[in-house]
Amino acid sequence: MDKNFQEDQFTGIIKFTPPLYKQRYQFIKDLVGKYKPKKVADLGCADCMLLWMLKFCSCIEVLAGVDICASVMKEKMHRLSPLPGDYLQPAERSLTVTLHHGSVAHKDPCMLGFDLVTCIELIEHLEQSELKKFPEVVFGFMAPSIVVISTPNSEFNPLLPGVTLFRHPDHKFEWNRAQFQSWALETARRYDYSVEFSGVGHPPAGTENVGFCTQIGVFVR
């Protein structure tokens, strides 16, 4: 499933520059630049595009991706392979990249020890039972220093032509800002994190009251 293609179908009339998915990835890159994590895990890594971008961040020594859909990861994992030039002139740092087929609702020991965990446009794909287990897995079991969660802001949907219920047929829900913030604040309180809210995808002039197209929570332990 190519999340970016689906999204661009809806956001074609509202022109995001750069495209919305690139704005989300840049948000993560900026955070990496600020906090300098050595070990980063991307949950719901899908086409591995974010992992590919993070490969070039010099502070990162370990990258890991997890996704429920093994076929998409397998199809796109080639972009994480070393470039020919990497063999000719090896980098001064070592970089380990691993991909895992699994669910974010299950505690897997291979997902321990990360500084930063990203969950970009992931939670809205989870069934209710998975969403219930998700905080304990990520914040309780994995317990990284920083967690970044992005999800659609449903208040923006009326501005997207063709969106009747949800932005993607696989979405199980889409939250407005109050719903996301309520869930995030309760999760942060329960697992002893602070959380700050932000987003990407500015609304057109005159519709500022709907907020960002993508809402983001940054949790710091």
Side-chain angles (χ1 to χ4, degrees), residues 3 25 40-47 50-51 54 63-68 73 98-100 102-106 108 110-112 114 116-123 125-126 134-135 137-139 141-144 146-150:
K3 294 184 280 191
Y25 294 166
V40 180
D42 183 29
L43 307 186
C45 63
D47 62 5
L50 178 57
L51 291 173
L54 293 178
L63 275 176
V66 179
D67 204 276
I68 198 76
M73 279 196 301
T98 53
L99 296 177
H100 304 276
S103 166
V104 297
H106 297 144
D108 187 335
C110 72
M111 298 312 294
L112 292 173
F114 289 92
L116 167 65
V117 170
T118 59
C119 311
I120 306 304
E121 306 301 280
L122 166 70
I123 58 172
H125 292 273
L126 301 180
F134 173 83
V137 171
V138 176
F139 295 93
F141 177 68
M142 294 179 71
I146 307 160
V147 180
V148 184
I149 297 176
S150 84

Side-chain angles (χ1 to χ4, degrees), residues 33-153:
K34 178 180 177 183
Y35 289 104
K36 303 281 191 293
K38 289 183 177 179
K39 299 181 178 183
V40 180
D42 183 29
L43 307 186
C45 63
D47 62 5
C48 303
M49 191 66 186
L50 178 57
L51 291 173
W52 176 80
M53 292 178 73
L54 293 178
K55 207 173 83 156
F56 302 100
C57 297
S58 58
C59 61
I60 297 176
E61 297 171 3
V62 176
L63 275 176
V66 179
D67 204 276
I68 198 76
C69 185
S71 59
V72 175
M73 279 196 301
K74 208 167 185 178
E75 187 188 332
K76 302 292 186 180
M77 64 191 285
H78 63 86
R79 59 170 46 133
L80 299 173
S81 301
L83 299 168
D86 294 338
Y87 295 108
L88 297 171
Q89 190 175 4
E92 290 175 15
R93 63 170 178 142
S94 66
L95 175 65
T96 305
V97 184
T98 53
L99 296 177
H100 304 276
H101 176 225
S103 166
V104 297
H106 297 144
K107 295 177 180 178
D108 187 335
C110 72
M111 298 312 294
L112 292 173
F114 289 92
D115 308 313
L116 167 65
V117 170
T118 59
C119 311
I120 306 304
E121 306 301 280
L122 166 70
I123 58 172
E124 64 275 8
H125 292 273
L126 301 180
E127 299 284 358
Q128 199 58 44
S129 59
E130 296 170 316
L131 183 66
K132 204 170 179 183
K133 294 173 183 171
F134 173 83
E136 174 55 28
V137 171
V138 176
F139 295 93
F141 177 68
M142 294 179 71
S145 303
I146 307 160
V147 180
V148 184
I149 297 176
S150 84
T151 193
N153 166 21

Side-chain angles (χ1 to χ4, degrees), residues 159 202-209:
L159 302 179
H202 286 276
T207 60
E208 288 83 1
N209 61 313

